[in-house]
Amino acid sequence: MNTETTDEIIAATGRALCECGYADLTMQRIAKESSLTTAAIHYHFDTKSELLNAFLDDLIERFQARLACEAEDPRERLTTFVDAVFTPSASDDDFPVALMELKAQAPYHDGFRERFCDLDDVMRRVVATAVRDGIDAGHFEEADPEAVARLVTTAINGAHVRRVALGEDGAETRATVERYLELQLGWTPNSEVTA
Amino acid sequence: MNTETTDEIIAATGRALCECGYADLTMQRIAKESSLTTAAIHYHFDTKSELLNAFLDDLIERFQARLACEAEDPRERLTTFVDAVFTPSASDDDFPVALMELKAQAPYHDGFRERFCDLDDVMRRVVATAVRDGIDAGHFEEADPEAVARLVTTAINGAHVRRVALGEDGAETRATVERYLELQLGWTPNSEVTA
């Protein structure tokens, strides 16, 4: 359960991670980004890994909130998903780099890996459910919803690494994913939804 | 131009990178993996960055050699590409992790970024050319070769990060890419090629 203090520590962790990278991230560095002492941070989180696990939990929770779409219409849900994934958030531009560093650390940290797997499940479930519902409702052409969700999610993973390694913005991958959905489903996100 | 000595240094760099990661990589660590002294390595490469640039050049060269396919038939070229990309090489299992660390460093190292962009160009060109030739020869259905190449390459980038972050092997993404090519081109790699 997050409190105001743990929220502040998590936000400071994100800023420190963006500024100095994973290798140079220390409790001292995080304390400097917050109004708290190193001792106070240690009181809440024993280790850097524990703190980064909480940081990832918070990230996933916020991402899920952005994906949340109460719409009945599966076309609107797919549109919300694509917008959430490809619209850069207001957060620091260094954020995708910091997140990639944590992904690169996943082989050495079961806690990180578990959370990235959870995030992947969330993304794939949202897409697969929208695709399945859209096929059932006759909006989309026949397709394997799990397979569509897998390709879309893999392309989003690719967009992340392309942004970090190549400096490419997400617009290219967004267009690529939309072309694929048009081909596969006969419908693209952000098309007008008519009943 | 690589010599036997620089080849040895580059190979030692790859092993050291896999073993200790980017953050802990030092000239001393690389020397330990080779028969050379730290001074001898410095004679050939001034800095760690310079050495890693040479390591990436070598990597791209070897990757291009694996992609090289003299076949006239674009279907065979596409098959060779998919096999080269998705068949794990004999190299260390930590290699994808080490490569992801270098990708995460690309925003801070223009030399790394340049090389990853070159690698991306190579991959996209191979796919786009095979698709274009296959359409011209009547083997594949009409499609935009550049767009197909972009989706395939982005999915391969996604497979890399999925392997590192989620521990997923490439088979899932391979099947995903092959399903996409079947849908888009009416043909999948590794299908029998009949004239």
Side-chain angles (χ1 to χ4, degrees):
Chain A
M1 177 83 92
N2 286 5
T3 63
E4 220 170 284
T5 308
T6 55
D7 278 345
E8 184 185 345
I9 297 171
I10 287 167
T13 303
R15 287 192 298 274
L17 187 63
C18 286
E19 273 183 35
C20 63
Y22 176 83
D24 296 324
L25 188 71
T26 60
M27 291 298 213
Q28 289 74 19
R29 194 68 193 67
I30 294 165
K32 263 183 68 181
E33 290 287 338
S34 75
S35 67
L36 300 153
T37 62
T38 307
I41 294 176
H42 269 294
Y43 174 83
H44 291 281
F45 299 98
D46 268 348
T47 62
K48 183 168 110 170
S49 282
E50 211 179 287
L51 184 40
L52 286 167
N53 285 343
F55 170 75
L56 288 174
D57 283 335
D58 177 70
L59 184 78
I60 294 171
E61 211 173 282
R62 281 185 295 124
F63 185 68
Q64 277 186 293
R66 285 178 69 194
L67 292 189
C69 177
E70 300 300 321
E72 282 253 338
D73 195 312
R75 294 168 294 184
E76 279 180 47
R77 278 183 269 142
L78 209 50
T79 292
T80 300
F81 175 83
V82 168
D83 284 340
V85 165
F86 287 110
T87 307
S89 70
S91 71
D92 201 307
D93 201 46
D94 295 328
F95 181 73
V97 181
L99 195 62
M100 188 56 71
E101 285 198 291
L102 295 187
K103 287 187 177 178
Q105 290 298 321
Y108 315 114
H109 293 273
D110 290 344
F112 296 2
R113 170 155 292 169
E114 229 171 77
R115 285 160 177 84
F116 286 123
C117 287
D118 285 349
L119 184 59
D120 189 61
D121 286 341
V122 169
M123 289 171 68
R124 288 207 273 148
R125 199 167 50 237
V126 169
V127 178
T129 307
V131 169
R132 188 175 299 109
D133 293 351
I135 293 168
D136 289 347
H139 301 310
F140 303 153
E141 288 164 21
E142 270 306 324
D144 174 349
E146 305 298 334
V148 174
R150 179 168 277 281
L151 181 52
V152 169
T153 309
T154 302
I156 291 164
N157 299 147
H160 181 196
V161 72
R162 294 179 73 80
R163 170 150 182 191
V164 173
L166 311 180
E168 182 179 277
D169 77 21
E172 286 284 1
T173 306
R174 181 181 190 142
T176 301
V177 166
E178 290 181 342
R179 268 193 306 265
Y180 161 70
L181 290 172
E182 170 76 45
L183 176 73
Q184 180 78 70
L185 305 177
W187 188 83
T188 52
N190 291 296
S191 313
E192 210 174 321
V193 171
T194 48
Chain B
M1 176 81 93
N2 287 4
T3 64
E4 219 170 286
T5 308
T6 56
D7 278 345
E8 184 185 346
I9 297 171
I10 287 167
T13 302
R15 287 192 297 275
L17 188 63
C18 286
E19 274 182 35
C20 63
Y22 176 82
D24 296 325
L25 188 71
T26 59
M27 291 298 214
Q28 288 76 19
R29 194 68 194 66
I30 294 164
K32 264 182 68 180
E33 289 288 337
S34 75
S35 67
L36 298 154
T37 62
T38 307
I41 294 176
H42 269 294
Y43 174 81
H44 291 281
F45 299 98
D46 268 346
T47 62
K48 184 168 109 171
S49 283
E50 212 179 286
L51 184 39
L52 285 167
N53 284 342
F55 169 75
L56 287 175
D57 283 336
D58 177 71
L59 184 78
I60 294 170
E61 211 173 282
R62 282 185 295 125
F63 185 69
Q64 277 185 294
R66 285 179 69 194
L67 293 189
C69 176
E70 301 298 321
E72 282 253 337
D73 194 313
R75 294 169 294 184
E76 280 179 47
R77 277 183 270 142
L78 209 50
T79 292
T80 300
F81 175 82
V82 168
D83 284 340
V85 165
F86 287 109
T87 308
S89 70
S91 70
D92 200 306
D93 201 46
D94 295 328
F95 182 72
V97 181
L99 194 62
M100 189 55 72
E101 285 199 290
L102 295 187
K103 287 186 176 177
Q105 291 297 322
Y108 315 116
H109 293 273
D110 290 344
F112 296 2
R113 170 153 292 167
E114 232 171 73
R115 285 159 176 85
F116 286 123
C117 287
D118 286 349
L119 184 60
D120 188 62
D121 286 341
V122 168
M123 290 172 68
R124 289 206 273 146
R125 200 168 47 238
V126 169
V127 177
T129 307
V131 170
R132 189 175 297 110
D133 293 350
I135 293 168
D136 290 348
H139 302 310
F140 304 153
E141 288 163 21
E142 269 307 322
D144 174 349
E146 304 298 335
V148 175
R150 179 168 276 280
L151 181 52
V152 168
T153 309
T154 302
I156 291 163
N157 298 148
H160 181 197
V161 71
R162 293 180 73 79
R163 169 149 183 195
V164 173
L166 311 180
E168 181 179 280
D169 77 19
E172 286 283 2
T173 306
R174 181 181 187 140
T176 301
V177 165
E178 289 181 342
R179 268 193 305 266
Y180 162 69
L181 290 172
E182 170 75 43
L183 175 73
Q184 180 79 71
L185 305 177
W187 188 83
T188 52
N190 291 295
S191 314
E192 210 173 323
V193 170
T194 49

